[in-house]
Amino acid sequence: VAEVKDIVKRAIKWGHKALAITDHGVVHAFPFAHHAAEDIDKEFKVILGIEGYIVDDEAKMVSYPKKIAIEHEQYVVFDIETTGFDPHGDRIIEIGAVKLDGIKVIDRFSAFINPQMKIPDKIVELTGITDEMVKDAPFIDEVIVKFKEFAGSATVVAHNAGFDVGFVKQKLAHIGMSFDNSVIDTLHWSRNILKQQKRHNLKELCKYFQISLENHHRAVDDAEATAEIFKKFIGLVINKGAYMLDEIDSVFENNIENLSPYHIIILVKNREGLRNLYELVSMSNLKYYHRRPRIPKTLLKKMRNGLILGSACEAGELIQGYLKGKNEDELKEIAEFYDY
């Protein structure tokens, strides 16, 4: 590991006028970098900062919820199987969905898709879906339109919905169509409702609720299981006192410990910013630490005076939003939070 004083020396030798410290979650290098610059070149500027782990504790249980009774809304609970994790480069090979009117199943959707490529061996092993099974299936442009028609204006539900909805949005955008339905993520619900649970994947939730899941990683079966889990969650939400979709966020708080963190660059402008950064680092390690020091977005909003916020690398919220298929308006909304 390079000593920061050696990095400062190298930057000065190459003619740089400044250098920013962005270690992950800590500020250990600050005094060493500051003293190194003073000793070598007093005109050289050290910009103090970190690459932090931000969690969106304002994330909604229902995105853009309708003002309708929970039991009166229609829901489309769905799952997809894909050739990989990138909605821009990988392909959907199966879509399975269950339509609910309240908690009553009223329709189903199931389709294979010909990905026009060889299915990777690891995906065949995981899903059991082979090239032979999809060779005569329709292409995605046809199936995705049929799925959009099936979903209609219903609230869509998925486990780890960012993944599934991201693929659907990207494939529809490719043919000039949008997907603007309200979204519920049962993974997010599980983390907020079943806070005592250590694991919140589909298999563990089926075990918790005693729901059968015989063919895990097949879209049809995963969608059926997710629908049963969702019905259980609806009962728990109503018992908590939320009867309308737009009331759910008022009765549940986000479980910061289980939220997925994004990377963020935080740079110091002045003494107030330095003090705020020190407090953020302290709080992230002492109060919100879980596997890594987490900075809640609401706390950062209160303490951003004197700080410059950057959207960071591919692990940042903005690029992850793009990779998950968010549309231009959604990306602009994310970007508004950052200074650069």
Side-chain angles (χ1 to χ4, degrees), residues 115-266:
Q116 300 174 274
M117 63 173 282
K118 186 180 186 308
I119 300 174
D121 291 342
K122 62 182 180 181
I123 300 300
V124 174
E125 185 179 340
L126 181 70
T127 64
I129 300 171
T130 64
D131 294 322
E132 183 69 21
M133 293 165 69
V134 299
K135 70 175 185 178
D136 297 322
F139 297 154
I140 187 61
D141 289 1
E142 178 184 337
V143 177
I144 204 71
V145 171
K146 288 181 179 178
F147 175 70
K148 178 179 169 66
E149 291 171 353
F150 177 82
S153 61
T155 295
V156 297
V157 181
H159 199 71
N160 192 18
F163 176 83
D164 301 84
V165 174
F167 263 88
V168 170
K169 283 187 174 184
Q170 201 284 325
K171 302 312 175 189
L172 282 168
H174 189 258
I175 55 174
M177 300 178 76
S178 62
F179 192 70
D180 302 318
N181 299 55
S182 298
V183 178
I184 290 173
D185 184 352
T186 50
L187 175 61
H188 187 191
W189 275 35
S190 179
R191 287 168 171 169
N192 287 348
I193 296 171
L194 304 177
K195 293 183 179 181
Q196 78 283 1
Q197 282 290 101
K198 289 186 177 180
R199 294 184 179 87
H200 300 269
N201 59 51
L202 201 60
K203 192 174 180 180
E204 289 297 321
L205 289 181
C206 285
K207 191 185 299 182
Y208 178 84
F209 286 119
Q210 298 182 322
I211 293 166
S212 174
L213 180 60
E214 293 182 3
N215 295 306
H216 191 22
H217 295 300
R218 281 297 307 276
V220 178
D221 297 279
D222 285 357
E224 291 275 2
T226 304
E228 292 304 311
I229 289 167
F230 178 60
K231 287 194 274 184
K232 300 284 188 183
F233 279 142
I234 285 178
L236 294 173
V237 165
I238 291 172
N239 285 342
K240 189 78 172 178
Y243 304 103
M244 308 286 286
L245 276 177
D246 61 347
E247 293 176 346
I248 295 172
D249 278 294
S250 64
V251 297
F252 289 100
E253 287 186 357
N254 277 314
N255 185 0
I256 291 173
E257 185 176 291
N258 278 322
L259 290 172
S260 297
Y262 297 105
H263 290 194
I264 183 173
I265 300 296
I266 306 176

